[in-house]
Amino acid sequence: MMITYTKSTIVWSICATSGSNVSFAQLLDDENLVLKQDDINTQSYAWQSFEHPTNTLLPGMKLGLDRITRLSRNLISWKTETDPSEGEYYLVNTDITLYLYSRSGNICCSAQWDGIDSRSKGLVYSKVNDSQEVSFSFQASEQPAIFVLSWLGKDKWLTWQSDSRQWDKVWEEPGDR
């Protein structure tokens, strides 16, 4: 695939206030896109994509609430299969339950943390509920994996199949449990 840009094409931009110290954008090894301040070697981020998920949870990302900063990290579906603007559904992590809501506020489905099992080898889940945060995250040790909230309101575990070069569905909810 070849992408051609002209001088008038904006590929990416940031609206920074005057006096902002944002100097670098960097894609880290874990796929977290960060805006760094002053020095590329520092660990100080002005912004990071892992704190603002869209419809996809990557390994190491957290779904839930940072109780210190009050930052809520929820998944939000796309409007349609090809339109990434905010859609009808969002997935929220509470103290012990994952809830799928529609924009109308109706609960479409829920899953207790204890009901989440590893349906694919190599997925390791982390659940935290303490004074600093309530979060759900995962790591994939055997093959790349992602968790996606589809535009139809279904959450899916997908794993990358290198032989077929595509994402394969491990399970989908509502539907497969």
Side-chain angles (χ1 to χ4, degrees), residues 114-132:
D114 295 337
I116 296 173
D117 60 353
S118 180
R119 299 215 172 194
S120 175
K121 297 187 294 183
L123 292 179
V124 180
Y125 304 103
S126 173
K127 306 165 205 170
V128 176
N129 186 0
D130 60 24
S131 62
Q132 294 185 350

Side-chain angles (χ1 to χ4, degrees), residues 79-146:
K79 188 171 187 175
T80 68
E81 188 174 15
T82 57
D83 181 354
S85 58
E86 289 187 9
E88 176 69 17
Y89 302 97
Y90 55 103
L91 191 67
V92 176
N93 180 22
T94 66
D95 291 347
I96 58 168
T97 307
L98 295 171
Y99 287 103
L100 178 64
Y101 288 94
S102 67
R103 285 255 177 229
S104 63
N106 294 330
I107 297 174
C108 301
C109 67
S110 64
Q112 294 289 319
W113 274 1
D114 295 337
I116 296 173
D117 60 353
S118 180
R119 299 215 172 194
S120 175
K121 297 187 294 183
L123 292 179
V124 180
Y125 304 103
S126 173
K127 306 165 205 170
V128 176
N129 186 0
D130 60 24
S131 62
Q132 294 185 350
E133 70 178 316
V134 54
S135 68
F136 169 81
S137 64
F138 75 96
Q139 293 294 329
S141 62
E142 293 184 15
Q143 60 194 41
I146 58 175

Side-chain angles (χ1 to χ4, degrees), residues 18-42:
S18 73
S20 173
N21 292 332
V22 174
S23 301
F24 303 95
Q26 184 178 14
L27 183 61
L28 303 178
D29 290 340
D30 63 0
E31 309 302 327
N32 190 7
L33 177 65
V34 299
L35 302 181
K36 290 188 166 189
Q37 298 174 325
D38 299 326
D39 180 4
I40 199 164
N41 296 316
T42 67

Side-chain angles (χ1 to χ4, degrees), residues 43-54:
Q43 293 299 318
S44 174
Y45 306 135
W47 181 90
Q48 56 181 313
S49 63
F50 273 25
E51 290 184 349
H52 305 279
T54 56

